[in-house]
Structure formats: C-alpha cells, structure tokens
Amino acid sequence: MATTTRKRCGRTGVSDDPQHVPRARDGRAPDVFRHGGWVPMRCYGENDEVDFAIVGTGAGGGTLACRLAEAGFSVVALDAGPYWRPLEDFASDEHEQTKLYWTDERIVDGENPLQLGSNNSGKSVGGSTVHFAMVSLRFRPEWFKARSKLGYGADWPLDWREMWDYYTEVEQALKISGPVRYPWGPKRPRYPYRPHELNAAALVLAQGAEAMGIDWTPTPLATVSAPRGLSPPCVYRGFCTLGCSTNAKQSVLITWLPRALAAGAEIRDLAMVGRVEVNEAGLATGVHYHREGAWHFQRARNVVVAGYAIETPRLLLNSATARYPDGLANSSGLVGKNLMAQSNQAVWGLMEDEIRAYKGPPSLSMTEHWNYQDRGKDFFGGYCYMSQGPLPALWATTQAGAHGLWGDALMRDMEKYNHQVGLKIVGEMLPQKRNRVTLADEKDQYGLPIARVTYSWCDNDKRLIEHSLRFMTQALEAVDARDIWRQEDDTCHLNGTARMGDDPRTSVVNADCRSWDISNLWICDGSVFPTVGGVNPSLTIQAIACRTADRIRALAARGEL
Amino acid sequence: MRLRSRRSVQHFANPLAALDRQAGDPLLTARLDRGSAVRAAQRLNRAAGTLAIAVLFDSAMEHYRGSFHNRAMYTPLVSASLSLLASAHGTADPRSGAHKLRDGIYAFAGLAGIAGTAFHVYNIGKRPGGFSWLNLFYSAPIGAPMALSLSGMLGFLSERVRDNPPGPPPLIFGLPAGRVTAAMTSAGLLGTVGEAGLLHFRGAYHDPAMFLPVSVPPLAAALLAESAVGRSRVRRRFTTWWLRFTALLGFAGVGFHSLGVARNMGGWRNWSQNLLNGPPLPAPPSFTGLALAGLAALGLMEDHPDE
Ligand SMILES: Cc1cc2nc3c(=O)[nH]c(=O)nc-3n(C[C@H](O)[C@H](O)[C@H](O)COP(=O)(O)OP(=O)(O)OC[C@H]3O[C@@H](n4cnc5c(N)ncnc54)[C@H](O)[C@@H]3O)c2cc1C
Ligand code: SF4
C-alpha cells in the first residue's frame, strides 16, 4: 500500500488526501517545494525515548524543533494538522481554504466573546503561520519591562537587547522583506530583503499618515521580494491569509521545518496529542497522541507544549493527575489565565479612485506611531495600524455582519468593493485573570474535554480602541475618503495563558520556557507572553523559540537538563 | 579592420614613423586620417545603436507594463528606434562628414532622455515618501532615460568625429575627440552602474552574480577616466581587455536575467508575466554599448595621439 502511494505521489504528482491520511511516515515527509515530492525523514520508534517530543509545529514548536534538531537532539514534533504541499494543495478559493483553520468545537463566552477560527488559529503542520498575514515586527524594547518602565501589565524575564539579537536571527531565517530604514525604536540591522512595492491601499495609509504628520513605513513582511532558494518572489495576488500557493510566504512550513527534517527531526502530521504523561516522580515521560484512528504513546525525556494559547492550556489542564489535580505546571493557578487577544478594529471608507485593495499582501504599509509615542494617550499600551486587503467573500461577510446587508442590498454594496480602503489596528490588550481558558464538559471528536474561552475587554482596552478609531477616522478623512464607518468588534491573535516570569508563584514558566513545576516540561509558543504589546506576535514567538533552544543546549552542556 | 587599426596605432605610436608620415605623401596621409576617423565614428555608431536597442526593448516592456497611461511614454520607443536606424545607417556609411538627419535624430535622443529623466524624477517626488528608497526602487526608474541620452550623445559624438578635417587629431568642441568620448563613456558607465546597483540592491543581491555589474564596470569607468586625462601615446592593453570583458558581461547579463526570469512563479512557461516581473532582459546590454564606446574612444586616442 505504501509503495503504491509512493509511486502515485512521486511519479504522477496526483495528490493523496492529507487531511485524512498522514503523509509524513515511512521515512519520508512531503517536499513542500515540489508537486508530489518527498524528502527523507528520520523516524523514531514509539519506544525510543527521544530527547524532545514537541506538541505543535507552529511559530513556537516548529522553530524550536528545527533549532533543537540542529543542536543534535533527537526530536519528534507532532501536529494535529495536515502536512500540506502548498503548490498542489492550496486553491485560490476562500471557502476551500478554510481547511487551514482550527475549527474544532470550542465554547466562547464573557462580555466580549472571541470569534475563533480563521483570524486566530490554524491547524496545519507549520501552525497558524501557514495562513498568517506575515507582518513581522519587533517589540518595543520597553514592553519587556512593561510593569516597571510603563506602569502596566507585567515584566518579562527577558532583556530586550538579547531579544534584539534573536529577532535578527529570525529575520534572517525568514528573509524578511522590510524597509531600508525603520522609523521607530533602537537601531536594527538592515532587513535581509528590500520592502515590497505598495498597492493603492497602502499608499492611502501613507498619504493619511503624512497628512496627520506621523511616520509610516512599508511593512516588514515574511514574504520574499526577490527569489530565495525555491521560493519565487511574491506575485501579489493577495491570498496570503488563505495559504500562499506559490511559497513566496516564508511560513514555518517552508522555512524552519525543512531545516528540521534535514537535521534529523521527525514530524508527525494528523497527530493530536491528548495528554502529557507524568510519572510518579512528577516528571513528564511522553505524550499520548491520536493518529490513524488509534491512540499511541511516544516516550520522551522532555516534552514541549506549543499548541498556541488555547490548545496549550487545554492540554495541560487535560493532563491532570492525582499529583497535579489542577493540571500540569499549574501550581501558580495561572495556566489558562491572562489570555490576551489583540484588538483588531478598523475604519473603512470609499475612495473616488479605484483601489483594488486585494492586490498583494493585505498589510503592505503601516505605522507604529502610537506604539512609540506615549504623549496624548489616555490608555496604557500601544497599537499599530495597517492597510487592509480583504478578499471578496470576507468583505461580503464583514458587510453582512456590520451593516446587516443581505440580498440585493449586499450585491449593490459589493459593487463598491474595488474602491474600498481600510485601516486596521493590532492593539495591545491588557492581561486579566478573568480572561481565561478552562475545560468544558463537552467532548471533542477524540473524546477530550473541549476548551471554554472566556473574554471581556477592560476599560483600558476600550479606551485604546476608541483612541485608535478616532485617529484612523481622521487619517481617512484627511485623504478624502467618504462613507467612513467603524468596525468595532474584531480581535486577532491569542497570547498569554502560561506566562513566563521570574517567580514561580506568579508565572508558569521561567525565561527559558521551562515549567517551574515539572523540570522536563516546557512551553514554547504564544502562551508564554506576559503582555502582548501592540504588534503581531509571531516574530517574538520565533525569537523566544530560538533563545529557548540555545538555553536548552547550554543547560544540557552543563548537565542541567 | 581591427588589425588594420592596430597596425596604424603602432605606426603612429612610433615617433620616427610619425616623422616618416609627415615627410610622406600628404594626400595618402589625409586619406588615412579620414579613414581612421570614419572607422572611429562607425564604432561609436555601433555603440550608440547597442544602447538604443537596450533602451528600445527596455522602455517598450516597462512602459507596456505601465499601460502607456501617458502618451509621452511612447517617446523613448520612437526616439530609440530612430537612434537605432541612424546608428545602423552610420555604421554602414563609409563617408566622412556629419549627416544632418542622423545628427538630428541623435540630438532628439539626447533631449528625449533628459526630458524622460525629468519626468521620472517628477514621478518619484510626487509619491508619498518622496525621494525614499521605496520610491527609488519601484517608481519610474530614475536612471533609465539617461541610457537614451547616452545613445544620443554617443551618436552625436560620432558625427562630430566624422566631421573632422584630415590632419590634426579629431576634435569635439575644441577638445581631442578620443578624450571627450572616454570621459563621457566613463561617466555613462558610472551612471549605469548606479542604476544596476540600485536595482540589484532592491533584489537584495540574492545571487552573487548580481555583484558583477557593480564591480566590473566601475573599474572600466576608472580606467577610461584615466585614459581621458592620462597620456595618449601609450597602449592600454589592460583597459582594452577590461572594456571587452565589460562588453561581454553586458551580453552575459541577458543570460543571468533570463535565469532570474525562470525563478519567478511559473518560470518561462509563464513568460508573459515573468518577462515583466523578472529582471529586465534588455537592460544589461547598456554596458555592452558603453564598453563599445569606450573601445572606440581608446581607438581614437591611439590613432590620433594629441601630445
Ligand atoms: C489569519 C491570521 C493572520 C495572522 N497574521 C499574523 C501576522 O501578520 N504577523 C504575526 O506575527 N502573526 C500573525 N498571526 C499570528 C501568528 O500566526 C500566531 O501568533 C503564531 O503562529 C502562534 O504561534 P504558536 O506556535 O503559538 O501557535 P501556532 O502557530 O498556531 O501553532 C500551533 C500548532 O499546534 C498544533 N496543535 C495544537 N494543539 C495540539 C495538540 N493537542 N496536538 C497536536 N497538535 C496541536 C496546531 O495544529 C498548530 O499547528 C496571524 C494569525 C492568523 C490566524
Ligand atoms: S500575495 Fe504573495 S505572499 Fe500573499 S499569497 Fe500571493 S504570493 Fe503568497
């Protein structure tokens, strides 16, 4: 059977069914750069006690898998999602591509329930980066000490100068295309690739910013503006948040993971981890995972949980034992708490000229002005705002949701689609204990309790949103946009729920992403953020993963693993 | 033809031979002079033509990409085509004396290039961000129209060289033609290096071969500049070879760029998009055109030492 499949896939390029049959097995994994292609993959037996079993292969897990394998550790990385070959599996169809989202059942509540799925979680080898928007920004240095320097949230146990070097490493690894000179913050090395050309929507942002007297910049993006290896330069078709079918996008799937495989890591697709096993001594011994209709157990000397800010706490809570009745790594009681989305409000308007905002990556220009400017704010934290390029189905949904348009009215409104412009923020939301992930009584298809996600905005969140909407409205008015309206309810990204810190009582992991309670259990993804800042998180997640790998290597060298 | 010119170089480079020549048949000398001036002019025609080809195809593709949204965008196509015709005519024309129509066409190219530069500069300046890197990368390329001017100027120089009376070394505006051509070509090379440098920087020098046009031609420019101000009675073998290498590089550039086209999504199968998106195939031969002009300048200086 395996041989037949190999023949079929290898010779004719006819696709198998990656959503139902694992591809990474029998010593080979899909070659993400070739139709029907394969690359060799080292495989471990379930009884092999590997150095690291990593749950999740996204920005955190995928990066860490690569760096650990390159450091010589034996690694098995498991992901619940399929192993795509973008060239053959991604269609230019908004509905087809919903297959990239994590749409398993979850319950949402709170005063401002989150809308989960497309805009915040992915289920693929490569994680959410397979359909992320590629915006690759560094934190403002002060945010790493938000509590002591800016008076809100919590301090990170990390030093920004050290992070600056890891940011550089990630920017190089992803060949970020960014501006020659970045207008804000301390000096940073030149981006490896040059910025992309702006589309008309991005130019509107630029004109608005200039009219408002603030700086703007072409956005640093993880899609290449010139060839790189087997990645062609971006073709500006704008399907980025539905999966890039050209491989211009430098997702984890096509950057860190091929490196991980080459360094000897094994990646298991369609492998849903249901439980982390701990022994009587209180140490993790491996993971139980569901693959091909059955439960399996992979032994490991260390377990890393990197399932993103909902699945990570869910797995830790689902792995409770008699010794750890509140879930693993939860002596602080903080697992699942301090969930932070980011505000994602927008102001939309119509331009006289044709804009065709869907052309190119959705956020080609941006401003971080309100991240770095503290005067004139009545809130803590910051936000950036970016140009937008919603595709037609998303735009129709937005219109239907925001204005209740339907039928003929919606059709007529869609005729203005090519003149639409928008500015959208990524705004900081403050950590609150009441925003949290807990377990519901309901079970999912694997028989595991599903996550209940509770979310409410605090007054500070609301003030930030109001400030941003006011400012962006002025910016659109300044360029003579008409029919301006505010989209007030959106959020994006998920962070927190297993924060890092210096104190076991007030954090779940230390600066090395090692849990305080179980010394061979690590958490390495967006969950470890104590605060979120006003920029998209993936560059920081990857930088933390690189740092964690270096720390693990150093600890191993000292016999402290 | 090259052999002949080399022989005559040796002939004139030898002071005794020069004496001989003065003592010899004045008519024959005049014919020889005229012959070498015409040959130099023809070489300049060829250089101007090579540049015109590059401009013609480059502007055709880029302005097609820009949908010819402004009628003025046809100007370089017309001007470069005329310049190409004039150059072909000049290359085949064994007569001495400037040709009025060619002169006019070349002058037009020179002016059209300058006007184009002004247009492009205006276009860059009016965009948000003004003269920022972003606009230099993606707006109308600031240096491109100058290639048309250069073609015109080389042609114009060619006509001036042709127009010289026999006897003294050919002059352009009272200066030795060889030196003027060398200086101008050197400046043209530097400008073209600037353009290639800017666009290759935009491509992040993702392939090491992209460093070639910013390292080989600058040396050629420096060597030519040295020839323009240095002694005229020396043979510059290294300069000659380096210019030939630069000329070759211009052609090789087309090959490199075609590999670049292949690296875009869909490769050559998707040629109709990738010819426009990929590195411009017609651009590198500008270096060939300028290197040919440099060789013509060297030839002029060797044939007509002015000291
Ligand atoms: C539409 C969209 C646009 C975005 N745009 C940007 C952007 O422009 N810039 C930016 O910086 N960020 C962006 N993000 C956010 C970014 O993608 C995430 O912050 C980042 O990928 C999170 O990394 P992670 O490792 O924590 O989780 P993920 O990358 O989501 O990876 C988690 C992986 O774990 C797997 N997993 C979870 N639980 C289990 C389990 N129990 N067993 C097995 N596998 C499991 C999942 O299948 C998933 O593949 C965007 C996100 C989305 C959805
Ligand atoms: S616009 Fe560029 S990055 Fe986005 S999907 Fe298309 S090729 Fe990929």
Side-chain angles (χ1 to χ4, degrees):
Chain A
M1 167 72 184
T3 353
T4 347
T5 319
R6 187 170 310 167
K7 251 191 181 162
R8 194 152 45 88
C9 298
R11 301 257 167 93
T12 67
V14 173
S15 177
D16 38 2
D17 181 3
Q19 284 176 274
H20 297 103
V21 182
R23 274 177 169 170
R25 52 187 300 178
D26 303 331
R28 63 182 196 172
D31 181 345
V32 289
F33 290 107
R34 292 188 172 82
H35 283 266
W38 300 98
V39 291
M41 178 176 76
R42 176 157 184 194
C43 285
Y44 294 92
E46 289 182 339
N47 280 325
D48 293 338
E49 191 182 39
V50 291
D51 293 326
F52 286 89
I54 301 179
V55 185
T57 58
T63 309
L64 187 67
C66 167
R67 292 286 260 89
L68 287 178
E70 286 180 347
F73 294 104
S74 54
V75 173
V76 171
L78 307 101
D79 204 294
Y83 209 136
W84 308 108
R85 289 190 195 97
L87 295 177
E88 72 186 43
D89 295 326
F90 292 176
S92 300
D93 180 309
E94 286 179 78
H95 291 293
E96 162 70 13
Q97 290 304 109
T98 55
K99 65 188 181 188
L100 302 182
Y101 310 153
W102 188 293
T103 48
D104 290 10
E105 198 111 342
R106 288 157 165 173
I107 293 174
V108 290
D109 59 12
E111 289 162 24
N112 308 90
L114 296 178
Q115 200 179 323
L116 295 175
S118 64
N119 206 30
N120 45 33
S121 27
K123 188 186 204 178
S124 294
V125 170
S128 306
T129 69
V130 175
H131 77 285
F132 83 150
M134 314 173 299
V135 177
S136 300
L137 301 176
R138 297 177 176 211
F139 260 41
R140 173 180 165 181
E142 288 87 342
W143 290 343
F144 290 105
K145 296 287 174 264
R147 162 73 37 207
S148 37
K149 291 225 160 114
L150 302 167
Y152 69 91
D155 282 352
W156 291 55
L158 298 174
D159 185 285
W160 75 269
R161 281 161 297 220
E162 194 188 5
M163 288 300 286
W164 232 235
D165 293 337
Y166 284 109
Y167 279 132
T168 303
E169 177 184 344
V170 179
E171 284 165 356
Q172 285 295 338
L174 308 185
K175 289 283 178 269
I176 301 295
S177 300
V180 177
R181 194 189 70 83
Y182 197 72
W184 306 278
K187 205 168 142 27
R188 58 185 69 188
R190 175 167 298 159
Y191 286 106
Y193 274 40
R194 304 291 80 79
H196 290 273
E197 187 172 4
L198 301 190
N199 61 8
L203 284 170
V204 168
L205 180 142
Q207 282 157 348
E210 288 185 357
M212 299 292 286
I214 63 168
D215 281 333
W216 63 275
T217 180
T219 310
L221 290 173
T223 173
V224 282
S225 57
R228 178 205 190 184
L230 293 170
S231 287
C234 176
V235 301
Y236 305 115
R237 236 162 38 96
F239 266 81
C240 324
T241 52
L242 299 151
C244 171
S245 63
T246 68
N247 278 333
K249 175 195 278 196
Q250 302 297 294
S251 66
V252 171
L253 175 65
I254 73 151
T255 54
W256 299 106
L257 293 181
R259 272 173 63 179
L261 290 172
E266 178 183 348
I267 294 163
R268 289 190 199 148
D269 52 344
L270 301 181
M272 172 71 184
V273 176
R275 186 180 179 83
V276 177
E277 187 68 31
V278 282
N279 62 14
E280 278 155 20
L283 289 175
T285 55
V287 294
H288 295 276
Y289 67 100
H290 193 272
R291 200 184 196 202
E292 296 187 273
W295 286 98
H296 308 264
F297 181 69
Q298 176 64 51
R299 295 179 65 212
R301 277 186 271 278
N302 291 273
V303 172
V304 183
V305 183
Y308 209 12
I310 294 178
E311 293 307 312
T312 286
R314 177 183 174 217
L315 179 59
L316 295 173
L317 297 174
N318 269 335
S319 301
T321 62
R323 176 171 179 156
Y324 300 115
D326 298 326
L328 304 185
N330 200 14
S331 63
S332 62
L334 288 176
V335 169
K337 291 192 183 143
N338 296 310
L339 172 68
M340 290 165 287
Q342 286 180 300
S343 32
N344 204 202
Q345 278 64 18
V347 176
W348 301 96
L350 284 176
M351 299 298 286
E352 192 55 39
D353 292 337
E354 208 168 68
I355 296 293
R356 293 185 184 269
Y358 58 85
K359 288 194 173 195
S363 300
L364 280 162
S365 70
M366 53 137 352
T367 173
E368 270 210 73
H369 177 81
W370 290 110
N371 273 335
Y372 284 84
Q373 175 59 265
D374 291 326
R375 262 179 298 133
K377 281 179 182 168
D378 57 351
F379 57 89
F380 287 121
Y383 64 87
C384 59
Y385 70 80
M386 301 168 198
S387 59
Q388 291 299 301
L391 292 186
L394 174 61
W395 186 245
T397 319
T398 308
Q399 287 290 25
H403 296 138
L405 299 182
W406 198 247
D408 190 45
L410 182 56
M411 290 279 284
R412 274 204 312 271
D413 207 78
M414 284 304 286
E415 281 166 15
K416 302 178 200 151
Y417 173 66
N418 284 338
H419 291 260
Q420 204 71 57
V421 282
L423 305 173
K424 199 166 208 187
I425 61 167
V426 169
E428 182 154 17
M429 293 188 123
L430 295 193
Q432 305 175 63
K433 285 199 178 132
R434 63 175 175 153
N435 289 340
R436 58 188 299 199
V437 176
T438 48
L439 297 178
D441 295 332
E442 279 176 53
K443 304 265 170 63
D444 68 1
Q445 68 269 41
Y446 309 101
L448 302 165
I450 64 172
R452 173 189 296 276
V453 181
T454 309
Y455 207 81
S456 308
W457 302 352
C458 65
D459 287 342
N460 191 79
D461 298 341
K462 292 175 190 163
R463 283 199 298 274
L464 181 148
I465 290 168
E466 179 51 35
H467 183 282
S468 72
L469 290 172
R470 226 176 24 236
F471 191 84
M472 292 189 298
T473 303
Q474 288 168 5
L476 276 192
E477 283 166 354
V479 293
D480 297 330
R482 56 190 171 80
D483 297 348
I484 296 173
W485 64 277
R486 296 165 159 207
Q487 185 188 3
E488 302 197 347
D489 61 352
D490 221 0
T491 61
C492 61
H493 311 146
L494 304 163
N495 293 78
T497 70
R499 69 156 54 151
M500 56 162 60
D502 282 326
D503 184 344
R505 286 166 308 172
T506 54
S507 57
V508 179
V509 294
N510 67 13
D512 302 340
C513 292
R514 189 177 205 171
S515 76
W516 292 111
D517 301 349
I518 301 174
S519 65
N520 66 344
L521 177 66
W522 312 70
I523 298 167
C524 186
D525 61 6
S527 331
V528 301
F529 283 34
T531 54
V532 278
V535 296
N536 319 47
S538 70
L539 198 76
T540 304
I541 298 173
Q542 292 169 84
I544 290 172
C546 288
R547 182 185 181 279
T548 302
D550 283 350
R551 288 292 303 146
I552 286 175
R553 202 165 50 165
L555 291 168
R558 294 207 302 263
E560 294 173 16
L561 214 53
Chain B
M1 187 157 100
R2 204 183 297 141
L3 251 178
R4 240 198 298 152
S5 105
R6 198 176 291 157
R7 231 185 279 135
S8 65
V9 171
Q10 276 163 0
H11 182 64
F12 294 127
N14 177 344
L16 280 179
L19 275 179
D20 258 9
R21 174 185 148 215
Q22 273 166 9
D25 173 3
L27 252 173
L28 178 72
T29 317
R31 233 184 293 133
L32 256 177
D33 265 349
R34 239 179 237 279
S36 82
V38 167
R39 267 197 311 279
Q42 285 171 318
R43 290 165 115 194
L44 283 172
N45 284 132
R46 209 177 307 143
T50 311
L51 269 168
I53 294 180
V55 173
L56 175 60
F57 285 101
D58 203 24
S59 64
M61 282 169 63
E62 294 294 326
H63 287 184
Y64 168 70
R65 189 180 188 204
S67 311
F68 290 98
H69 66 83
N70 182 332
R71 276 181 180 219
M73 291 165 84
Y74 288 104
T75 316
L77 275 73
V78 174
S79 177
S81 304
L82 290 175
S83 182
L84 182 57
L85 287 176
S87 303
H89 184 261
T91 309
D93 184 357
R95 293 168 297 176
S96 61
H99 186 286
K100 276 219 176 85
L101 187 57
R102 288 201 305 257
D103 239 348
I105 288 175
Y106 284 136
F108 175 52
L111 293 176
I114 291 169
T117 306
F119 258 120
H120 284 200
V121 168
Y122 167 74
N123 262 318
I124 295 171
K126 75 174 188 199
R127 292 171 74 86
F131 290 91
S132 61
W133 281 108
L134 186 75
N135 291 336
L136 289 174
F137 291 155
Y138 295 113
S139 303
I142 191 164
M146 277 318 282
L148 182 58
S149 282
L150 282 172
S151 168
M153 281 191 248
L154 289 178
F156 189 73
L157 289 187
S158 137
E159 296 306 310
R160 303 286 74 69
V161 169
R162 232 182 245 269
D163 218 12
N164 268 280
L171 299 178
I172 294 174
F173 306 130
L175 296 167
R179 290 183 188 272
V180 172
T181 311
M184 231 197 64
T185 309
S186 169
L189 270 171
L190 284 182
T192 311
V193 166
E195 176 84 352
L198 176 70
L199 295 179
H200 284 193
F201 177 51
R202 176 178 100 185
Y205 290 94
H206 66 86
D207 187 313
M210 292 167 82
F211 285 104
L212 284 172
V214 292
S215 40
V216 174
L219 182 55
L223 291 167
L224 268 179
E226 187 278 330
S227 321
V229 294
R231 294 192 46 214
S232 66
R233 238 171 238 288
V234 285
R235 283 203 62 202
R236 294 183 161 82
R237 271 176 214 272
F238 183 68
T239 308
T240 307
W241 278 106
W242 200 257
L243 282 168
R244 287 181 184 154
F245 181 41
T246 308
L248 249 176
L249 183 68
F251 280 126
V254 179
F256 282 125
H257 281 198
S258 69
L259 291 178
V261 169
R263 292 187 69 185
N264 279 259
M265 188 62 192
W268 273 98
R269 269 180 300 118
N270 186 18
W271 61 269
S272 63
Q273 284 185 340
N274 288 343
L275 275 180
L276 301 177
N277 282 338
L281 290 190
S286 296
F287 284 116
T288 309
L290 286 163
L292 289 179
L295 286 167
L298 282 190
L300 268 171
M301 284 191 285
E302 288 172 359
D303 285 1
H304 306 278
D306 54 28
E307 351 163 282

